[in-house]
């Protein structure tokens, strides 16, 4: 009985995604399910639209910069906490994870005030700053886990053989934490690329992201092109997770330190 319930739950969870993907192939001029005929018309409209491609490029660039910055910052923080064992290291780790605690709507309101004071509200730079804050918790954990698993004796051996600190870091330390860095980059990219709740508060007339554009289109119309864009996002995110699982393994991110 328990097994049957588990199977039903596992079948039910992806059902909304399956419906959206199937709806993207409808030949009708409106969202409907079951679909009325098969057509790639809406994918052609999506890929042929300069506006959609522009916001997709903005989202990809934003996610890439956010992933690089948050991973670099997480590496520096993990190095200080794990290797140098700075005072109040646990408190610093908790501080890095606070974006996971607060509701995203509350973070969005706080960021409106903060970015307005900096003059960055509705700008790409402001979105980069916020996305870095949101992705740091996802970037920090795998880097810290990899650093804790790395044998510090290797670094000590390299130093005892005359290697300078920067050379030890580049040739010994970084290769040891490479799985954590790859995990951080991919997860940060996925989280940033799909983020909509906080970004919805901060976009402006000159900068828009793909998830926010999809949300806005849902409120204004029921065009199947929304389903095509959503299906593309699902495919892209699934591909990223598949790559992460093949290169590192999902368990690396969720396992305990």
């Amino acid at each position: 009985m328990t097994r049957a319930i588990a199977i039903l739950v596992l079948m039910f969870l992806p059902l909304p995604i399956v419906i959206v993907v199937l709806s993207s192939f409808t030949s009708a001029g409106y969202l409907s399910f079951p679909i009325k005929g098969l057509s790639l018309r809406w994918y052609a409209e999506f890929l042929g639209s300069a506006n959609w491609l522009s916001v997709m490029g903005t989202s990809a660039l934003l996610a890439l910069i956010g992933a690089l910055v948050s991973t670099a910052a997480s590496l520096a923080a993990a190095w200080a906490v794990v290797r140098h064992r700075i005072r109040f290291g646990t408190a610093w780790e908790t501080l890095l994870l606070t974006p996971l605690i607060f509701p995203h709507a509350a973070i969005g309101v706080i960021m409106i005030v903060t970015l307005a004071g900096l003059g960055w509200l509705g700008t790409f730079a402001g979105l980069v700053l916020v996305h870095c804050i949101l992705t740091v918790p996802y970037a920090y954990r795998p880097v810290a886990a990899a650093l804790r698993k790395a044998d510090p004796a290797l670094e000590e051996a390299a130093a005892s053989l005359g290697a300078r600190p920067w050379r030890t870091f580049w040739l010994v330390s970084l290769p040891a934490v490479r799985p954590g860095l790859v995990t951080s980059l991919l997860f940060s990219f996925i989280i940033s690329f799909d983020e909509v709740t906080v970004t919805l508060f901060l976009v402006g007339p000159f900068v828009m992201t793909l998830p926010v554009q999809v949300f806005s289109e849902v409120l204004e119309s029921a065009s199947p092109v929304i389903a095509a864009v959503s299906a593309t996002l699902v495919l892209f995110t699934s591909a990223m997770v598949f790559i992460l699982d093949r290169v590192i393994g999902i368990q690396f991110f969720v396992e305990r330190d």
Side-chain angles (χ1 to χ4, degrees), residues 24 52-53 91 97 128 163 171 233 241:
S24 67
W52 282 111
L53 293 180
L97 299 177
V128 168
L171 296 179
L233 287 175
V241 173

Side-chain angles (χ1 to χ4, degrees), residues 15-26 28 30-38 224 227:
L15 188 59
I17 297 176
V18 173
I19 292 176
V20 169
V21 172
L22 292 177
S23 298
S24 67
F25 293 100
T26 183
Y30 53 90
L31 280 173
S32 61
F33 189 83
I35 62 175
K36 300 177 180 179
L38 293 174

Side-chain angles (χ1 to χ4, degrees), residues 62 111 115 120-132 202:
L62 176 62
M111 287 296 109
L115 295 183
W120 289 1
L121 186 61
T123 66
F124 185 80
L127 289 180
V128 168
L129 175 61
V130 173
H131 278 229
C132 288
L202 307 174

